Amino acid sequence: MKRIKDTARFDRVAAKVREGEPLDLDDGVFLYTYPDLLAVGALANERREALHGDKTFFNVNFHINPTNVCVADCKFCSFARLEPDAPAAFTMSIDEVRQKLVERMDQPVTEVHIVNGLHHDLDFEYYKDCLRALKQLRPDIHLKAYTAVEIHYFAEKYGLSYEQVLVELREAGLDSMPGGGAEIFAERARRKLCRGKADADQWLEVHRTAHRLGIRTNCTMLYGTVETLEERVDHMLRLRDLQAETGGFQTFIPLAFHPENNNLGKLPAPTGVDHLRTYAVGRLMLHNIPHIKAYWVMIGLETAQIALSFGVDDLDGTVQEEKIYHMAGADTPQAMTRADLVRLIREAGRVAVERDTLYNERWVDAGEALEGVRIDASLPYSSRERVSLPVL
Ligand code: V47
């Protein structure tokens, strides 16, 4: 069915954006269905440039997933294993967690991103010890650890309030929280996707508590499964409302569904147009969240680069050893070097800025030579030659 291009309505929405008036649910759905993708992208780009100019942020980080044993039954998940002895199930010892950082002591890593399954049989001390072990090695490293779904699970399992959990984790070394586990807030979709884990109000309450304690967090939205466009925009509006109350979200990260090795494998993956439109609509709906991040691991480097003209100002980081998406069939590389990221950003006509987790600027690209990049663009990513690059 051909969609009608209602340019007069588009102009009204654009005027609201330019006057700083928040968009509503109907505006969001309209932008999702407006046939001229480039017009929606250009409007989002206007906002992105008003907020950040050409700056495009990234950081030098890596991921640790200490365990994938998980009592939740999320239909979209390819990472979790219910039983500890199931094939591909793992639980690292504290020493193995520590070893992940030991291996990277010569790298300019500023952040460790830590996410787990909901393990049925670990003490709270385990999660605190993971943080303590990393901080002991590198007291200056930022630990962005444990999603709101994990915090809710810890509170239930160990009989603590959200505040008690967060305070204890902060004492052990937690600095901020990642945005995972939000999926889609609408109850109808959530029931189909992830019955039994923290619901929308609980997810939001954990973040509200974190923000009250001065812990900055990110927020996400899983798109491309069973949700409607209304439910996507509703999700964004719930995030915007909490942000209006607390101001504690740093960045919104739309997460594209990856269909391999999970119970929703019959669904097609979201398309390139859907990715770009979702970033643009996110930028336009969430006027009060400073950053929009394209997680290149999920959507691929090419689309992430184009997204820099559709409202995105952040490309996450070097990542290294990503599991959640690679177990769901992502064919992106396991890691990017700083130089790889800078090159991508430069070629998109933007200025690369290395940030820390809290968006303090550590380095701004002044056009130095990027030695050592050897990528034959005609090869698929999996067979491109990765060389170890000198720190810029
Ligand atoms: O909550 C799991 C999603 C999230 C699949 O805060 C899947 O900086 C698609 O939250 N297909 C975890 N998505 C990842 C996450 C994240 C990633 C990068 C940066 C940050 C940040 C947060 O991944 C889960 C879920 O929504 N997910 N499986 C899948 N098959």
Side-chain angles (χ1 to χ4, degrees):
M1 192 184 70
K2 190 154 169 38
R3 288 171 175 166
I4 297 160
K5 190 169 163 187
D6 185 348
T7 51
R9 181 158 181 208
F10 182 82
D11 291 346
R12 285 199 298 280
V13 173
K16 274 173 98 169
V17 170
R18 290 180 185 127
E19 280 154 26
E21 201 184 314
L23 301 184
D24 60 23
L25 186 96
D26 289 345
D27 295 329
V29 174
F30 171 74
L31 290 171
Y32 252 120
T33 51
Y34 189 63
D36 188 347
L37 170 70
L38 292 184
V40 178
L43 191 60
N45 190 51
E46 225 178 280
R47 292 308 307 143
R48 178 245 201 262
E49 291 187 356
L51 286 165
H52 307 293
D54 281 331
K55 285 184 179 174
T56 298
F57 300 91
F58 71 95
N59 72 351
V60 181
N61 64 347
F62 73 98
H63 288 212
I64 305 180
N65 303 118
T67 181
N68 68 343
V69 175
C70 189
V71 297
D73 178 24
C74 298
K75 303 297 179 208
F76 53 82
C77 185
S78 318
F79 164 75
R81 297 291 180 274
L82 182 58
E83 301 296 341
D85 53 1
F90 62 86
T91 301
M92 294 180 191
S93 65
I94 300 298
D95 206 49
E96 285 169 320
V97 171
R98 183 187 291 111
Q99 212 44 42
K100 295 285 173 195
L101 183 55
V102 169
E103 286 161 14
R104 295 177 172 86
M105 287 300 272
D106 60 339
Q107 295 181 15
V109 171
T110 61
E111 170 193 285
V112 190
H113 170 126
I114 309 169
V115 171
N116 291 288
L118 306 178
H119 198 293
H120 60 286
D121 194 26
L122 285 172
D123 295 339
F124 194 26
E125 282 309 301
Y126 174 84
Y127 303 97
K128 291 193 258 180
D129 284 346
C130 285
L131 302 173
R132 290 188 191 114
L134 298 170
K135 279 284 182 181
Q136 203 182 14
L137 272 177
R138 282 267 318 266
D140 59 316
I141 208 148
H142 185 108
L143 302 181
K144 182 180 70 174
Y146 310 143
T147 65
V149 168
E150 289 168 83
I151 304 295
H152 170 80
Y153 182 69
F154 298 158
E156 284 204 323
K157 188 166 174 60
Y158 309 120
L160 300 168
S161 67
Y162 293 158
E163 177 164 339
Q164 285 169 321
V165 170
L166 286 166
V167 167
E168 288 195 31
L169 290 174
R170 183 164 61 182
E171 279 167 11
L174 178 142
D175 293 301
S176 70
M177 277 169 55
E183 324 316 355
I184 280 282
F185 290 145
E187 215 197 317
R188 184 203 68 85
R190 210 169 177 84
R191 227 180 301 121
K192 292 190 177 176
L193 290 176
C194 51
R195 190 197 286 270
K197 75 177 187 186
D199 66 19
D201 289 341
Q202 290 160 338
W203 190 96
L204 290 163
E205 186 56 28
V206 171
H207 283 263
R208 181 179 287 111
T209 309
H211 296 170
R212 183 162 46 74
L213 294 171
I215 298 170
R216 306 303 300 272
T217 72
N218 292 338
C219 53
T220 59
M221 176 182 80
L222 175 68
Y223 65 97
T225 62
V226 300
E227 81 286 355
T228 63
L229 295 182
E230 282 79 3
E231 287 168 340
R232 289 189 196 183
V233 179
D234 162 74
H235 184 97
M236 293 177 191
L237 290 177
R238 294 198 214 192
L239 294 172
R240 191 173 81 186
D241 287 349
L242 181 58
Q243 181 72 345
E245 201 183 306
T246 65
F249 287 129
Q250 305 198 100
T251 180
F252 172 62
I253 313 152
L255 297 170
F257 171 59
H258 260 271
E260 282 175 41
N261 309 323
N262 57 56
N263 288 331
L264 296 180
K266 288 200 175 76
L267 290 176
T271 64
V273 166
D274 197 6
H275 299 321
L276 295 176
R277 213 182 262 279
T278 299
Y279 289 115
V281 175
R283 177 64 286 164
L284 293 167
M285 296 304 300
L286 297 172
H287 65 279
N288 58 0
I289 298 188
H291 301 280
I292 306 289
K293 188 193 280 190
Y295 186 39
W296 59 263
V297 173
M298 262 172 19
I299 55 166
L301 299 166
E302 291 88 347
T303 309
Q305 195 181 29
I306 298 166
L308 299 181
S309 301
F310 282 76
V312 167
D313 64 280
D314 190 308
L315 285 184
D316 199 85
T318 47
V319 182
Q320 313 183 44
E321 271 199 50
E322 199 288 325
K323 288 202 177 70
I324 296 177
Y325 291 100
H326 285 89
M327 286 171 84
D331 59 1
T332 43
Q334 277 285 352
M336 293 281 280
T337 63
R338 272 172 110 249
D340 288 336
L341 284 166
V342 173
R343 178 171 159 270
L344 274 180
I345 295 167
R346 276 187 191 173
E347 285 190 7
R350 302 297 193 183
V351 176
V353 178
E354 187 197 330
R355 60 166 173 85
D356 66 15
T357 311
L358 302 177
Y359 286 85
N360 298 303
E361 296 183 10
R362 294 174 50 83
W363 172 86
V364 179
D365 186 11
E368 300 92 325
L370 295 178
E371 290 170 49
V373 178
R374 269 194 278 138
I375 296 178
D376 178 347
S378 66
L379 295 174
Y381 280 107
S382 51
S383 37
R384 286 180 191 181
E385 186 183 5
R386 310 236 135 238
V387 293
S388 80
L389 291 160
V391 175
L392 285 169

